Amino acid sequence: MQVIASDGQTPVDSDTGNIALTWFTELHSSPHNAAAGPCSDRGDIVTRSTRLAPMIDATGARPGVRSPKTAELVAGTLRRMVVDGQLTDGDFLPNEAELMAHFGVSRPTLREAVRVLESERLVEVRRGSRTGARVRVPGPEVVARPAGLLLELSGATIADLLTAKAGIEPLAARLLAESGSAEAFAELDALLEDLVAQGCESDRLAENTGTFHLRVVQLSGNTTLSIVAGMLHEITVRHTAFVFNERRPVSKADYDKLIRSYRKLMTYLRAGDAAGAEQHWRKHLDVSRELLLTGLESVPIRDVMG
């Protein structure tokens, strides 16, 4: 996506004085534009208009709190535009000259603001590129690694983690039974059938079962639960793989019991039985926690993450 004015100059809103920009978004390449000319390999072009927000005001800072630097105010303004959906994933920020004129800041201050956003993984800067920084809306994976590190530093154990999951997932199952869509249930059915097809000897068993559990939470529609579950996902999968491979290989009987439990959950979900789904999933997690923790109750997360 490129940011240019329709007349090749920076347009200014006559009422507010704010810079009004036209945003050009590149979509994925499609067959019908294959012969569209020299830019055909860049995908379809769709235009939309927006305005840069005015820089947020620091005058409301509480007494005793350090006033933010100008670069932090610029970064905060652009961050808020991302959060509010005014800037979306894939958008390029205007060029430096336009941003400097809009915010009334110097080039070093602007570049410091962009570095702040880059450190937060809200923008991607390609060195040497002629386009501006590109907006990248982060997913749970962005916080998963720092969260895992924090758990390691705090001395948290696998028992801590599995207890937290037992608090998160049953509630998510209830929410999913209450408001889940046919598409959500179809996706879980597909994951379940893939598990059945691969069998108990699959080297991806820990990963696939972990994905099923994660999607139950994510499809529940609760953003906070989804983010927390995403943060715990990698640690859970690593520990489960260790148990399956080194401590307690999954027998055919264990695997069949697992599949029956998953199918029972799907029955509750499709029936809209929220209480049944929550109770069943809590029992399922209690049983699996006992299997995954036997003899490993005090293992710290740092040992799992290596």
Side-chain angles (χ1 to χ4, degrees), residues 71 74-75 78 93 99 109-119 123 125 127 133:
V74 173
L78 295 172
L93 297 182
L99 289 172
T109 295
L110 177 63
R111 290 183 174 178
E112 183 180 352
V114 172
R115 283 195 294 270
V116 170
L117 297 175
E118 188 178 17
S119 70
V123 300
V125 180
R127 309 303 175 191

Side-chain angles (χ1 to χ4, degrees), residues 169-206:
E169 293 191 24
L171 176 57
R174 168 180 279 276
L175 295 174
L176 184 56
E178 290 175 342
S179 60
S181 65
E183 291 77 12
F185 299 150
E187 179 182 335
L188 291 175
D189 279 335
L191 290 173
L192 179 51
E193 293 311 311
D194 187 49
L195 270 170
V196 172
Q198 293 194 36
C200 63
E201 296 182 356
S202 171
D203 58 3
R204 294 174 57 86
L205 182 57

